[in-house]
Amino acid sequence: MSTHTVTIPKNFMLGAALSAWQSEGWSGKKESQDSYMDLWYKNHRHVWHDGYGPAIATDFRNRYKEDISYMKTIGLTHFRTSVNWSRFLTDYENAIVDEEYASYVEDMVDELIAQGVEPMICLEHYEIPAELFERYGGWESKHVVRLFEKYAEKVMNRLGDRVKHWLTFNEPIVPQTRMYLDAIRYPFEQNTQKWMQWNFHKTLATARVVKLFREKQLAERTGAKIGVILNPEVTYARSTAPHDQEAAHKHDLFFNRMFLDPTIKGEYPEELYEMMHKHDIAFTAAEEDLDTIRSYTVDYVGLNLYFPHRVQARTSGWNEQVPFHPRYYYDPFDLPGKKMNPYRGWEIFPRIMYDMAIRMKEEYGNIEWFIAENGMGVENEQRFKNEEGIIQDDYRIAFITEHLSWLLAAVNEGVNCRGYMLWAFSDNVSPMNAFKNRYGLVSIDLDNNRDRTMKKSAYWFQDVIKTRKLKVEEEPYK
């Protein structure tokens, strides 16, 4: 086994992420402040692994100082979390701030800064208020876009003097894809046009909040930047044959360019309009809204990358009784012999980091960006504890090393990537999977008051951050 060492650029971010709903818990939450995720959990608790959900989560709301002390110990340069829209306000129409929750958010941000960890604030990580979901259909309504802008202004008023990294959404395509395209999350409705409208209104909301950010001159006042966190599904065709290449092209159009193009370039692909009208799923958009999207593109983007998406041309006809789904144009392709994370059911293919990075350079003007999430979820990690009680997660160390090394190779080729944020800082609640698969550098012990313990990967990451050196092992040919 040969080893080489990669030097990590001095100002390259090495941090970790969580979200409000997956970590905070309901402590102090008023009954009227349910988010969509809270509503889903309350109505369908049985689909959440072992019944765990956002009710207690990791209790970050009460233990943030303890957790931030671990961040400082590890040496994280940045920590990204979200503000829970459903809890930041008590009146969503008039944007009346919940002073108790806002005070917590401010104190949490102050604590991060005091401990030398740069805060990154996301305004929506699946936390749309349940009231707006039930009253207006959530992001189906343009009125909700206006309410989001009001909320964003209140958060910026509170944190604008301290926060330099602003993100509008995390994975804006995901909730409605699960809800209205695949119909596997509450309210379990297959409605592709509604999926498309949600996609559009989240893009419009991003542009309007970028406009707000610029009007407040936060960049000039504090050096702050504003962007969005997307989860491009790095797409590979089964073969070089035209039919498979076309299947990959269509997949990319619907799941990647849907958000990459308008948020970065300010416009949707013409082919996407053609597909929407062909299948009668076009979103409704006023010309002034399209002008806003054209005029207010993001400063930078975060990308969440976990695994590749492989597709092939369809091998059977489409059932015309089924509402249109992009799978009209492709079938998933299961690569024989692929390396797998058997717990999550995801392929491990670290080259996605390099391939997506080169695409950002060649197709998106080499815009500034960073990895906002990358990580490995493993079930039943307690079995890997050593005599000192430290989880020996060598598999996570290997996963991060392989992905980060591919990313740094792209940086070495002039890609404008500014950092790597691990998912996650600690074990946390995931939709339905709850605590089944653990992602954290820090373990959460559900059987002992949710006590925290650093895993082997945390000590390893600590050394990487301190030395700015990544040791990469290469397997010899056999």
Side-chain angles (χ1 to χ4, degrees), residues 77-304:
T77 64
H78 294 70
F79 173 64
R80 190 257 297 180
T81 190
S82 59
V83 172
N84 191 326
W85 178 9
S86 67
R87 297 191 60 178
F88 195 80
L89 304 176
T90 56
D91 181 332
Y92 307 118
E93 299 289 339
N94 300 298
I96 305 300
V97 174
D98 184 316
E99 293 297 335
E100 181 184 6
Y101 182 80
S103 178
Y104 147 70
V105 172
E106 291 186 85
D107 290 347
M108 183 264 293
V109 167
D110 287 343
E111 184 69 16
L112 284 165
I113 294 169
Q115 298 298 336
V117 182
E118 186 77 27
M120 307 179 83
I121 295 298
C122 183
L123 293 168
E124 206 262 30
H125 191 132
Y126 314 168
E127 295 131 347
I128 183 171
E131 179 182 318
L132 302 185
F133 178 75
E134 294 184 308
R135 182 182 297 180
Y136 301 114
W139 290 104
E140 185 180 3
S141 167
K142 188 175 175 180
H143 180 60
V144 169
V145 176
R146 291 189 282 268
L147 296 184
F148 183 70
E149 188 178 0
K150 285 185 179 182
Y151 151 69
E153 182 169 23
K154 295 292 185 177
V155 179
M156 287 180 181
N157 288 345
R158 295 299 181 104
L159 301 177
D161 60 335
R162 284 161 281 183
V163 172
K164 296 182 180 180
H165 292 273
W166 292 92
L167 295 315
T168 55
F169 293 92
N170 176 81
E171 299 181 344
I173 199 173
V174 167
Q176 61 269 24
T177 298
R178 303 291 179 262
M179 296 155 66
Y180 298 119
L181 199 59
D182 299 332
I184 58 173
R185 291 184 187 173
Y186 180 78
F188 312 104
E189 177 188 346
Q190 213 288 298
N191 187 323
T192 312
Q193 198 281 327
K194 189 177 290 188
W195 174 70
M196 196 63 76
Q197 196 66 52
W198 274 53
N199 290 336
F200 173 73
H201 278 152
K202 287 186 178 182
T203 297
L204 176 61
T206 288
R208 289 180 67 148
V209 172
V210 169
K211 181 175 184 288
L212 172 68
F213 175 88
R214 303 243 166 93
E215 289 171 347
K216 287 182 170 295
Q217 297 185 311
L218 290 181
E220 292 82 355
R221 286 163 43 199
T222 68
K225 293 176 285 193
I226 188 164
V228 64
I229 298 172
L230 306 177
N231 58 309
E233 301 186 348
V234 186
T235 311
Y236 299 97
R238 173 184 61 172
S239 76
T240 59
H243 54 279
D244 284 337
Q245 292 293 314
E246 181 63 16
H249 172 74
K250 288 294 197 297
H251 182 276
D252 180 64
L253 183 70
F254 280 103
F255 291 103
N256 299 333
R257 297 185 66 193
M258 174 81 71
F259 279 94
L260 283 166
D261 282 38
T263 56
I264 298 174
K265 298 180 177 180
E267 58 187 13
Y268 287 92
E270 191 59 40
E271 186 183 358
L272 183 60
Y273 284 116
E274 294 171 3
M275 290 295 100
M276 287 193 296
H277 290 294
K278 176 181 177 180
H279 296 286
D280 197 24
I281 57 168
F283 53 70
T284 301
E287 191 57 41
E288 64 179 7
D289 295 335
L290 296 174
D291 286 340
T292 299
I293 290 170
R294 273 189 288 269
S295 301
Y296 295 99
T297 54
V298 295
D299 296 330
Y300 68 157
V301 291
L303 300 182
N304 296 348

